[in-house]
Amino acid sequence: MARKQVETYIWNPEVECMDPDKMRALQSERLVKCVNYMYGRVPYYTEKMKKAGVEPGDIRGIEDLYKLPFTDKFDFRDNYPFGTFAVPREDIVRVHASSGTTGRMKVVGYTRADIALWTECLCRAMARSGVSKGDMVHVAYGYGLFTGGLGPHYACDPLGATAIPVSGGNTPRQIQILREWKPNVIMCTPSYMLHIADEMAAMGVSPDEINLKSGIFGAEPWTKEMRDQIESKMHLRAFDIYGLSEICGPGVGCSCEHSDLLHLEVDHFIPEVVDKDTGKPLGEGELGELVFSSVTKEGTPLLRYNTHDLTRIYYDKCACGRTTPRMEKVTGRADDMMIIRGVNVFPSQIESVMLTYSEVEPHYVIYLDRVNNLDRMTVKVEMAPSFFSDAIRDIERLEKKIAEDIASVTGVHAKIQLCEPRSLPRSEGKMKRVYDERFSS
Ligand code: DLL
Protein backbone atom coordinates (compact mmCIF):
# COMPACT_ATOMS: atom_id res chain seq x y z
CA MET A 1 0.00 0.00 0.00
CA ALA A 2 1.33 3.47 -0.88
CA ARG A 3 2.11 5.58 2.16
CA LYS A 4 -0.30 8.35 2.97
CA GLN A 5 0.87 11.78 1.80
CA VAL A 6 0.59 14.72 4.16
CA GLU A 7 1.33 18.35 3.54
CA THR A 8 4.19 19.50 5.73
CA TYR A 9 6.21 22.69 6.06
CA ILE A 10 9.34 24.13 7.65
CA TRP A 11 8.62 25.95 10.91
CA ASN A 12 11.91 27.82 11.21
CA PRO A 13 13.67 27.92 7.80
CA GLU A 14 16.35 30.28 9.05
CA VAL A 15 17.64 27.64 11.46
CA GLU A 16 16.49 24.41 9.86
CA CYS A 17 18.00 25.33 6.47
CA MET A 18 21.05 27.16 7.82
CA ASP A 19 24.33 26.84 5.98
CA PRO A 20 26.32 24.13 7.84
CA ASP A 21 29.34 26.39 8.39
CA LYS A 22 27.13 29.06 9.88
CA MET A 23 25.55 26.42 12.11
CA ARG A 24 28.95 25.31 13.35
CA ALA A 25 29.81 28.90 14.19
CA LEU A 26 26.54 29.28 16.09
CA GLN A 27 27.13 26.02 17.96
CA SER A 28 30.67 27.09 18.83
CA GLU A 29 29.48 30.40 20.20
CA ARG A 30 26.76 28.72 22.26
CA LEU A 31 29.06 25.99 23.54
CA VAL A 32 31.63 28.48 24.81
CA LYS A 33 28.87 30.48 26.48
CA CYS A 34 27.41 27.36 28.09
CA VAL A 35 30.74 26.17 29.48
CA ASN A 36 31.33 29.57 31.05
CA TYR A 37 27.76 29.65 32.35
CA MET A 38 28.04 26.23 33.99
CA TYR A 39 31.53 26.58 35.42
CA GLY A 40 31.14 27.76 39.01
CA ARG A 41 27.34 27.54 38.93
CA VAL A 42 26.91 23.81 38.73
CA PRO A 43 29.19 22.30 41.38
CA TYR A 44 29.21 18.70 40.12
CA TYR A 45 30.24 19.77 36.60
CA THR A 46 32.81 22.28 37.81
CA GLU A 47 34.32 19.44 39.84
CA LYS A 48 34.37 17.16 36.80
CA MET A 49 36.13 19.79 34.70
CA LYS A 50 38.71 20.38 37.42
CA LYS A 51 39.33 16.65 37.71
CA ALA A 52 39.77 16.40 33.94
CA GLY A 53 42.15 19.38 34.03
CA VAL A 54 39.96 21.44 31.69
CA GLU A 55 39.28 25.13 32.19
CA PRO A 56 36.60 27.19 30.47
CA GLY A 57 39.33 28.97 28.47
CA ASP A 58 40.33 25.65 26.87
CA ILE A 59 37.00 25.46 25.06
CA ARG A 60 37.14 27.89 22.16
CA GLY A 61 34.71 26.20 19.83
CA ILE A 62 32.97 23.00 18.87
CA GLU A 63 36.32 21.49 17.83
CA ASP A 64 37.22 21.45 21.55
CA LEU A 65 34.04 19.66 22.63
CA TYR A 66 35.84 16.33 22.96
CA LYS A 67 37.99 17.78 25.77
CA LEU A 68 35.00 18.10 28.10
CA PRO A 69 34.09 15.34 30.55
CA PHE A 70 30.98 13.24 29.93
CA THR A 71 27.87 13.29 32.09
CA ASP A 72 25.29 10.57 32.52
CA LYS A 73 22.37 9.35 34.61
CA PHE A 74 24.61 8.85 37.66
CA ASP A 75 25.09 12.62 37.87
CA PHE A 76 21.32 12.92 38.35
CA ARG A 77 21.36 10.18 40.98
CA ASP A 78 24.26 11.69 42.88
CA ASN A 79 22.80 15.21 42.82
CA TYR A 80 19.17 14.27 43.45
CA PRO A 81 16.80 16.07 43.50
CA PHE A 82 17.85 19.59 42.47
CA GLY A 83 21.67 19.52 42.52
CA THR A 84 21.94 19.53 38.72
CA PHE A 85 20.18 22.92 38.47
CA ALA A 86 22.20 25.92 37.28
CA VAL A 87 19.74 28.48 38.70
CA PRO A 88 18.10 28.93 42.12
CA ARG A 89 15.03 26.71 42.51
CA GLU A 90 12.88 29.87 42.58
CA ASP A 91 13.71 30.51 38.90
CA ILE A 92 12.45 27.10 37.86
CA VAL A 93 8.88 27.31 36.55
CA ARG A 94 8.39 23.58 35.97
CA VAL A 95 9.98 20.26 36.79
CA HIS A 96 9.71 16.97 34.93
CA ALA A 97 11.25 13.68 35.90
CA SER A 98 11.83 10.22 34.58
CA SER A 99 12.54 7.10 36.50
CA GLY A 100 15.88 5.58 35.87
CA THR A 101 17.63 2.33 36.48
CA THR A 102 19.53 4.01 39.32
CA GLY A 103 16.41 3.85 41.53
CA ARG A 104 16.20 7.63 41.83
CA MET A 105 14.26 9.87 39.47
CA LYS A 106 16.17 12.10 37.10
CA VAL A 107 14.74 15.52 37.93
CA VAL A 108 14.95 18.23 35.29
CA GLY A 109 14.19 21.91 35.96
CA TYR A 110 12.94 24.32 33.28
CA THR A 111 13.10 28.09 33.43
CA ARG A 112 10.57 30.11 31.43
CA ALA A 113 13.14 30.36 28.60
CA ASP A 114 13.67 26.58 28.68
CA ILE A 115 9.95 25.97 28.21
CA ALA A 116 10.02 28.40 25.27
CA LEU A 117 12.95 26.66 23.59
CA TRP A 118 11.38 23.24 24.11
CA THR A 119 8.14 24.52 22.60
CA GLU A 120 10.08 25.87 19.61
CA CYS A 121 11.67 22.44 19.05
CA LEU A 122 8.27 20.77 19.19
CA CYS A 123 6.84 23.28 16.72
CA ARG A 124 9.62 22.32 14.30
CA ALA A 125 8.93 18.60 14.86
CA MET A 126 5.16 18.86 14.56
CA ALA A 127 5.31 21.10 11.44
CA ARG A 128 7.57 18.42 9.96
CA SER A 129 4.70 16.00 10.56
CA GLY A 130 2.14 18.33 9.01
CA VAL A 131 0.57 19.98 12.07
CA SER A 132 -0.70 23.45 11.16
CA LYS A 133 -3.42 25.95 11.95
CA GLY A 134 -6.82 24.33 12.32
CA ASP A 135 -5.54 20.84 13.07
CA MET A 136 -6.75 18.92 16.12
CA VAL A 137 -4.01 17.06 17.99
CA HIS A 138 -5.00 14.10 20.16
CA VAL A 139 -2.22 13.89 22.76
CA ALA A 140 -2.32 10.40 24.26
CA TYR A 141 1.14 10.51 25.81
CA GLY A 142 0.94 10.64 29.60
CA TYR A 143 0.56 14.07 31.20
CA GLY A 144 2.48 14.58 34.42
CA LEU A 145 6.12 14.22 35.34
CA PHE A 146 6.60 12.42 32.00
CA THR A 147 7.41 14.94 29.26
CA GLY A 148 5.32 13.30 26.51
CA GLY A 149 2.04 15.06 27.29
CA LEU A 150 2.83 18.63 28.28
CA GLY A 151 5.60 19.16 25.70
CA PRO A 152 3.44 18.74 22.57
CA HIS A 153 0.51 20.35 24.39
CA TYR A 154 2.38 23.65 24.68
CA ALA A 155 3.38 23.59 21.00
CA CYS A 156 -0.22 23.36 19.80
CA ASP A 157 -0.83 27.01 20.70
CA PRO A 158 1.92 28.60 18.53
CA LEU A 159 1.13 26.10 15.77
CA GLY A 160 -2.48 27.29 15.81
CA ALA A 161 -3.72 23.76 16.48
CA THR A 162 -6.28 22.54 19.00
CA ALA A 163 -4.76 20.36 21.72
CA ILE A 164 -6.87 17.51 23.06
CA PRO A 165 -5.12 16.56 26.33
CA VAL A 166 -6.48 13.02 26.62
CA SER A 167 -3.31 11.59 28.24
CA GLY A 168 -2.80 7.82 28.27
CA GLY A 169 -5.27 5.14 29.30
CA ASN A 170 -9.03 4.58 29.13
CA THR A 171 -8.81 3.20 25.62
CA PRO A 172 -12.58 3.10 24.92
CA ARG A 173 -12.71 6.83 25.61
CA GLN A 174 -9.71 7.42 23.31
CA ILE A 175 -11.60 5.63 20.56
CA GLN A 176 -14.78 7.55 21.28
CA ILE A 177 -12.89 10.85 20.91
CA LEU A 178 -11.14 9.69 17.73
CA ARG A 179 -14.49 8.73 16.26
CA GLU A 180 -16.70 11.56 17.42
CA TRP A 181 -14.37 14.60 17.59
CA LYS A 182 -12.29 13.48 14.62
CA PRO A 183 -8.83 14.84 15.53
CA ASN A 184 -6.50 14.57 12.53
CA VAL A 185 -3.20 14.07 14.38
CA ILE A 186 -2.40 11.63 17.18
CA MET A 187 0.63 11.49 19.45
CA CYS A 188 1.37 8.45 21.63
CA THR A 189 3.81 5.59 21.95
CA PRO A 190 3.81 3.23 18.95
CA SER A 191 2.86 0.29 21.21
CA TYR A 192 -0.15 2.20 22.51
CA MET A 193 -1.21 3.09 18.95
CA LEU A 194 -1.23 -0.61 18.11
CA HIS A 195 -3.27 -1.34 21.21
CA ILE A 196 -5.80 1.33 20.23
CA ALA A 197 -5.89 -0.14 16.69
CA ASP A 198 -6.67 -3.61 18.06
CA GLU A 199 -9.36 -2.33 20.39
CA MET A 200 -10.89 -0.42 17.49
CA ALA A 201 -10.96 -3.59 15.43
CA ALA A 202 -12.52 -5.51 18.34
CA MET A 203 -15.22 -2.82 18.64
CA GLY A 204 -15.86 -2.95 14.90
CA VAL A 205 -14.59 0.62 14.33
CA SER A 206 -12.95 0.99 10.92
CA PRO A 207 -9.99 3.37 10.47
CA ASP A 208 -12.07 5.14 7.83
CA GLU A 209 -14.55 6.22 10.51
CA ILE A 210 -11.82 8.33 12.08
CA ASN A 211 -9.88 11.10 10.46
CA LEU A 212 -6.17 10.78 11.25
CA LYS A 213 -3.65 12.13 8.74
CA SER A 214 -0.51 11.78 10.85
CA GLY A 215 0.74 10.05 13.95
CA ILE A 216 3.81 11.27 15.84
CA PHE A 217 5.20 8.31 17.73
CA GLY A 218 8.15 7.85 20.02
CA ALA A 219 9.37 7.42 23.60
CA GLU A 220 10.35 3.80 22.88
CA PRO A 221 12.22 1.91 20.17
CA TRP A 222 10.15 0.76 17.21
CA THR A 223 11.15 -0.72 13.88
CA LYS A 224 10.20 0.16 10.31
CA GLU A 225 8.16 -3.04 10.24
CA MET A 226 6.12 -1.77 13.16
CA ARG A 227 5.69 1.57 11.42
CA ASP A 228 4.26 -0.25 8.38
CA GLN A 229 1.80 -2.12 10.59
CA ILE A 230 0.64 1.08 12.26
CA GLU A 231 0.24 2.88 8.93
CA SER A 232 -1.79 0.08 7.42
CA LYS A 233 -3.99 -0.44 10.47
CA MET A 234 -4.69 3.25 11.10
CA HIS A 235 -4.53 4.74 7.58
CA LEU A 236 -2.20 7.52 8.65
CA ARG A 237 1.36 8.67 8.02
CA ALA A 238 3.66 7.76 10.89
CA PHE A 239 6.49 10.04 12.02
CA ASP A 240 9.19 9.24 14.55
CA ILE A 241 9.81 11.70 17.38
CA TYR A 242 12.77 11.30 19.70
CA GLY A 243 13.78 12.88 22.95
CA LEU A 244 14.66 12.35 26.57
CA SER A 245 13.68 14.20 29.73
CA GLU A 246 17.26 15.13 30.58
CA ILE A 247 17.68 17.11 27.34
CA CYS A 248 14.12 18.57 27.24
CA GLY A 249 11.68 15.75 26.42
CA PRO A 250 10.21 14.96 22.99
CA GLY A 251 11.45 17.21 20.20
CA VAL A 252 15.20 16.61 20.29
CA GLY A 253 14.64 15.20 16.81
CA CYS A 254 11.84 14.15 14.49
CA SER A 255 11.59 12.56 11.04
CA CYS A 256 10.29 14.40 7.97
CA GLU A 257 8.16 13.21 5.05
CA HIS A 258 11.25 12.36 2.97
CA SER A 259 12.91 9.65 5.02
CA ASP A 260 13.04 7.76 8.28
CA LEU A 261 16.06 9.69 9.47
CA LEU A 262 15.32 12.16 12.26
CA HIS A 263 16.38 15.80 11.90
CA LEU A 264 18.06 16.96 15.09
CA GLU A 265 17.64 20.45 16.61
CA VAL A 266 21.39 20.96 16.61
CA ASP A 267 21.34 24.69 17.31
CA HIS A 268 20.22 23.76 20.86
CA PHE A 269 21.45 20.20 21.32
CA ILE A 270 24.90 19.48 19.89
CA PRO A 271 25.04 15.78 19.04
CA GLU A 272 27.99 13.41 18.98
CA VAL A 273 28.19 9.68 18.42
CA VAL A 274 30.88 8.01 20.49
CA ASP A 275 32.36 4.55 20.73
CA LYS A 276 30.53 2.71 23.48
CA ASP A 277 33.68 1.25 25.00
CA THR A 278 36.27 4.01 24.56
CA GLY A 279 34.08 7.15 24.45
CA LYS A 280 36.00 8.30 21.37
CA PRO A 281 33.96 10.43 18.93
CA LEU A 282 32.97 8.51 15.78
CA GLY A 283 32.54 9.77 12.23
CA GLU A 284 29.52 10.19 9.99
CA GLY A 285 27.50 6.99 9.62
CA GLU A 286 29.33 5.08 12.35
CA LEU A 287 27.23 3.30 14.95
CA GLY A 288 27.73 4.35 18.55
CA GLU A 289 26.23 5.98 21.62
CA LEU A 290 24.45 9.26 21.20
CA VAL A 291 25.70 12.14 23.32
CA PHE A 292 24.16 15.62 23.60
CA SER A 293 25.28 18.99 24.92
CA SER A 294 22.21 21.13 25.59
CA VAL A 295 24.00 24.43 25.17
CA THR A 296 21.08 26.87 25.43
CA LYS A 297 19.32 25.51 28.50
CA GLU A 298 19.27 27.60 31.68
CA GLY A 299 17.72 25.28 34.26
CA THR A 300 19.48 21.96 33.74
CA PRO A 301 22.09 22.45 31.01
CA LEU A 302 24.13 19.34 30.29
CA LEU A 303 27.46 18.93 28.60
CA ARG A 304 28.27 15.69 26.79
CA TYR A 305 25.35 13.77 28.28
CA ASN A 306 25.54 10.13 27.24
CA THR A 307 22.04 8.91 26.38
CA HIS A 308 23.32 5.36 25.75
CA ASP A 309 20.96 5.26 22.78
CA LEU A 310 22.59 3.66 19.76
CA THR A 311 22.46 5.38 16.39
CA ARG A 312 24.37 6.91 13.48
CA ILE A 313 24.42 10.54 12.31
CA TYR A 314 24.41 11.80 8.71
CA TYR A 315 25.29 15.32 7.63
CA ASP A 316 24.10 15.49 4.02
CA LYS A 317 21.29 17.82 2.99
CA CYS A 318 17.83 16.24 3.02
CA ALA A 319 15.44 16.31 0.06
CA CYS A 320 13.03 18.31 2.25
CA GLY A 321 15.45 21.25 2.07
CA ARG A 322 16.59 21.11 5.68
CA THR A 323 20.32 21.08 6.32
CA THR A 324 20.22 19.92 9.94
CA PRO A 325 22.06 16.65 10.66
CA ARG A 326 19.88 13.57 10.80
CA MET A 327 20.10 10.48 12.93
CA GLU A 328 19.06 6.96 12.19
CA LYS A 329 16.01 5.63 14.03
CA VAL A 330 17.08 4.61 17.52
CA THR A 331 16.34 0.91 17.64
CA GLY A 332 17.97 0.20 20.97
CA ARG A 333 20.00 1.41 23.87
CA ALA A 334 23.42 0.07 24.73
CA ASP A 335 21.88 -1.12 28.02
CA ASP A 336 18.95 -2.87 26.22
CA MET A 337 21.39 -5.15 24.54
CA MET A 338 20.86 -8.73 25.64
CA ILE A 339 23.94 -10.87 25.90
CA ILE A 340 22.76 -14.39 25.27
CA ARG A 341 25.41 -17.07 25.52
CA GLY A 342 27.92 -14.37 24.76
CA VAL A 343 26.15 -13.10 21.65
CA ASN A 344 24.84 -9.53 21.52
CA VAL A 345 21.16 -9.38 20.53
CA PHE A 346 18.79 -6.42 20.37
CA PRO A 347 15.02 -6.74 20.81
CA SER A 348 14.62 -4.72 17.58
CA GLN A 349 16.33 -7.48 15.57
CA ILE A 350 13.75 -9.93 16.80
CA GLU A 351 10.89 -7.52 16.12
CA SER A 352 12.10 -6.93 12.55
CA VAL A 353 12.12 -10.65 11.79
CA MET A 354 8.75 -11.43 13.35
CA LEU A 355 6.87 -8.60 11.76
CA THR A 356 7.71 -9.83 8.28
CA TYR A 357 5.19 -12.65 8.99
CA SER A 358 1.56 -11.78 8.33
CA GLU A 359 0.51 -14.68 10.59
CA VAL A 360 1.63 -12.83 13.73
CA GLU A 361 0.69 -9.51 15.32
CA PRO A 362 3.15 -6.87 16.55
CA HIS A 363 2.58 -7.90 20.19
CA TYR A 364 5.46 -9.79 21.70
CA VAL A 365 7.58 -10.20 24.81
CA ILE A 366 10.99 -11.75 25.31
CA TYR A 367 11.82 -13.89 28.35
CA LEU A 368 15.36 -14.80 29.30
CA ASP A 369 16.17 -17.46 31.81
CA ARG A 370 18.87 -19.97 32.55
CA VAL A 371 18.55 -23.74 32.38
CA ASN A 372 21.51 -25.88 33.45
CA ASN A 373 23.65 -22.74 33.40
CA LEU A 374 22.74 -22.03 29.79
CA ASP A 375 20.89 -18.91 28.71
CA ARG A 376 17.52 -19.53 27.13
CA MET A 377 15.47 -17.04 25.14
CA THR A 378 11.74 -17.50 24.71
CA VAL A 379 9.75 -15.16 22.50
CA LYS A 380 6.01 -15.07 22.96
CA VAL A 381 4.16 -13.49 20.07
CA GLU A 382 0.46 -13.24 19.34
CA MET A 383 -1.04 -14.90 16.31
CA ALA A 384 -3.13 -12.89 13.90
CA PRO A 385 -6.83 -13.74 14.44
CA SER A 386 -7.04 -15.15 10.88
CA PHE A 387 -4.24 -17.63 11.58
CA PHE A 388 -5.36 -18.56 15.10
CA SER A 389 -7.98 -21.08 13.99
CA ASP A 390 -5.41 -23.09 12.05
CA ALA A 391 -4.18 -26.57 12.93
CA ILE A 392 -1.58 -27.22 15.63
CA ARG A 393 0.74 -28.60 12.99
CA ASP A 394 0.72 -25.28 11.12
CA ILE A 395 1.40 -23.42 14.33
CA GLU A 396 4.40 -25.59 15.13
CA ARG A 397 5.72 -25.24 11.60
CA LEU A 398 5.48 -21.45 11.83
CA GLU A 399 7.17 -21.38 15.25
CA LYS A 400 10.05 -23.37 13.79
CA LYS A 401 10.30 -21.12 10.73
CA ILE A 402 10.40 -17.91 12.78
CA ALA A 403 12.99 -19.45 15.12
CA GLU A 404 15.18 -20.30 12.14
CA ASP A 405 14.94 -16.77 10.78
CA ILE A 406 15.79 -15.28 14.16
CA ALA A 407 18.76 -17.62 14.48
CA SER A 408 20.05 -16.62 11.06
CA VAL A 409 19.78 -12.89 11.89
CA THR A 410 21.02 -12.96 15.48
CA GLY A 411 23.05 -16.16 15.68
CA VAL A 412 21.04 -17.25 18.70
CA HIS A 413 18.31 -19.85 18.98
CA ALA A 414 15.01 -18.62 20.41
CA LYS A 415 12.04 -20.72 21.38
CA ILE A 416 8.99 -19.18 19.73
CA GLN A 417 5.62 -19.53 21.41
CA LEU A 418 2.68 -18.40 19.35
CA CYS A 419 -0.07 -17.21 21.67
CA GLU A 420 -3.77 -16.50 21.35
CA PRO A 421 -4.72 -13.09 19.99
CA ARG A 422 -5.01 -10.43 22.72
CA SER A 423 -3.38 -12.62 25.38
CA LEU A 424 -0.15 -10.69 26.03
CA PRO A 425 0.14 -7.59 28.24
CA ARG A 426 -0.62 -4.23 26.63
CA SER A 427 0.89 -0.86 27.44
CA GLU A 428 -0.64 2.59 27.57
CA GLY A 429 2.82 4.17 27.62
CA LYS A 430 6.25 2.66 27.17
CA MET A 431 6.08 -1.09 26.56
CA LYS A 432 8.31 -3.42 28.57
CA ARG A 433 9.48 -6.07 26.11
CA VAL A 434 12.23 -7.96 27.89
CA TYR A 435 11.90 -9.95 31.11
CA ASP A 436 15.33 -11.12 32.17
CA GLU A 437 15.05 -13.73 34.90
CA ARG A 438 18.59 -15.05 34.55
CA PHE A 439 20.00 -13.20 37.49
CA SER A 440 17.06 -13.27 39.89
CA SER A 441 17.44 -15.81 42.65
O1 DLL B 1 10.52 9.25 26.34
C1 DLL B 1 10.51 11.62 25.88
C2 DLL B 1 9.58 11.39 24.74
C3 DLL B 1 8.23 11.51 24.93
C4 DLL B 1 10.07 11.13 23.48
C5 DLL B 1 7.35 11.33 23.88
C6 DLL B 1 9.22 10.97 22.40
C7 DLL B 1 7.87 11.06 22.62
P1 DLL B 1 12.25 9.60 28.73
O2 DLL B 1 11.11 8.99 29.46
O3 DLL B 1 13.27 10.34 29.50
O4 DLL B 1 11.73 10.63 27.67
O5 DLL B 1 12.94 8.42 27.90
C8 DLL B 1 13.99 8.69 27.02
O6 DLL B 1 13.34 6.86 25.57
O7 DLL B 1 16.76 7.81 25.82
C9 DLL B 1 15.33 6.50 24.35
O8 DLL B 1 15.95 5.36 24.90
C10 DLL B 1 13.82 6.29 24.36
N1 DLL B 1 13.20 6.99 23.21
C11 DLL B 1 12.59 8.19 23.19
N2 DLL B 1 12.13 8.46 21.95
C12 DLL B 1 12.47 7.40 21.16
C13 DLL B 1 12.29 7.08 19.79
C14 DLL B 1 10.90 10.36 26.63
N3 DLL B 1 11.63 7.87 18.96
C15 DLL B 1 14.43 7.43 26.30
N4 DLL B 1 12.82 5.91 19.35
C16 DLL B 1 15.48 7.70 25.26
C17 DLL B 1 13.49 5.07 20.17
C18 DLL B 1 13.16 6.47 21.97
N5 DLL B 1 13.66 5.32 21.47
Side-chain angles (χ1 to χ4, degrees), residues 15 58 82 136 174 196 243 247 265 304 335 350 371 384 431:
V15 173
D58 297 332
F82 303 145
M136 251 197 283
Q174 307 266 359
I196 293 177
I247 298 301
E265 308 318 328
R304 303 198 85 201
D335 37 21
I350 294 181
V371 183
M431 176 76 193

Side-chain angles (χ1 to χ4, degrees), residues 271-290:
E272 295 171 87
V273 170
V274 304
D275 182 281
K276 92 178 177 12
D277 299 316
T278 64
K280 261 182 69 178
L282 297 174
E284 174 161 7
E286 289 189 280
L287 181 68
E289 290 186 329
L290 183 62

Side-chain angles (χ1 to χ4, degrees), residues 98 141 146-148 217-222 240-246 249-250 262 307 309 330 333 430:
S98 65
Y141 286 117
F146 180 54
T147 50
F217 307 116
E220 62 186 6
W222 54 309
D240 189 358
I241 189 163
Y242 168 87
L244 61 162
S245 324
E246 300 91 302
L262 290 87
T307 66
D309 289 322
V330 170
R333 299 171 52 78
K430 292 177 193 261

Side-chain angles (χ1 to χ4, degrees), residues 20 22 39 41 56 64 106 114 118 137 209 229 311 345 380 387 404 429 436:
K22 213 171 144 199
Y39 197 83
R41 273 174 187 252
D64 295 323
K106 288 167 273 183
D114 293 336
W118 182 22
V137 185
E209 283 177 60
Q229 297 251 356
T311 191
V345 180
K380 292 189 177 181
F387 183 72
E404 280 166 10
D436 192 344

Side-chain angles (χ1 to χ4, degrees), residues 29-244:
E29 183 195 314
R30 289 182 167 176
L31 172 66
V32 170
K33 206 167 151 198
C34 180
V35 171
N36 283 283
Y37 173 76
M38 284 182 74
Y39 197 83
R41 273 174 187 252
V42 185
Y44 86 88
Y45 201 72
T46 310
E47 237 2 82
K48 270 184 194 259
M49 282 180 64
K50 283 187 178 155
K51 247 193 181 152
V54 189
E55 294 194 347
D58 297 332
I59 310 300
R60 283 166 312 232
I62 192 170
E63 64 284 359
D64 295 323
L65 184 58
Y66 75 95
K67 294 180 183 163
L68 288 165
F70 287 107
T71 47
D72 68 17
K73 61 187 172 197
F74 298 109
D75 295 306
F76 282 91
R77 180 195 64 185
D78 298 344
N79 296 286
Y80 176 84
F82 303 145
T84 52
F85 292 2
V87 296
R89 214 268 313 132
E90 292 73 10
D91 294 337
I92 295 292
V93 300
R94 175 129 42 101
V95 287
H96 281 284
S98 65
S99 48
T101 42
T102 66
R104 276 178 170 174
M105 282 182 282
K106 288 167 273 183
V107 184
V108 182
Y110 300 68
T111 63
R112 196 165 290 134
D114 293 336
I115 297 283
L117 97 77
W118 182 22
T119 303
E120 157 73 18
C121 292
L122 275 157
C123 286
R124 294 182 199 171
M126 289 163 73
R128 216 168 280 160
S129 323
V131 180
S132 63
K133 178 149 181 62
D135 284 339
M136 251 197 283
V137 185
H138 181 116
V139 185
Y141 286 117
Y143 278 64
L145 287 177
F146 180 54
T147 50
L150 281 168
H153 181 97
Y154 267 61
C156 286
D157 182 349
L159 285 160
T162 308
I164 309 180
V166 201
S167 196
N170 196 345
T171 308
R173 193 182 58 176
Q174 307 266 359
I175 296 171
Q176 181 189 5
I177 291 171
L178 288 171
R179 198 179 183 183
E180 295 173 2
W181 303 4
K182 301 215 185 297
N184 54 357
V185 177
I186 188 163
M187 300 182 71
C188 61
T189 59
S191 56
Y192 192 42
M193 185 74 273
L194 282 170
H195 179 41
I196 293 177
D198 284 358
E199 290 301 306
M200 273 174 49
M203 289 162 68
V205 178
S206 134
D208 297 325
E209 283 177 60
I210 60 173
N211 183 38
L212 292 174
K213 63 171 180 177
S214 14
I216 310 175
F217 307 116
E220 62 186 6
W222 54 309
T223 56
K224 284 183 192 161
E225 291 75 14
M226 185 168 283
R227 181 203 71 191
D228 294 343
Q229 297 251 356
I230 292 176
E231 290 191 341
S232 81
K233 286 183 179 202
M234 295 300 293
H235 299 184
L236 51 69
R237 177 72 175 233
F239 293 88
D240 189 358
I241 189 163
Y242 168 87
L244 61 162

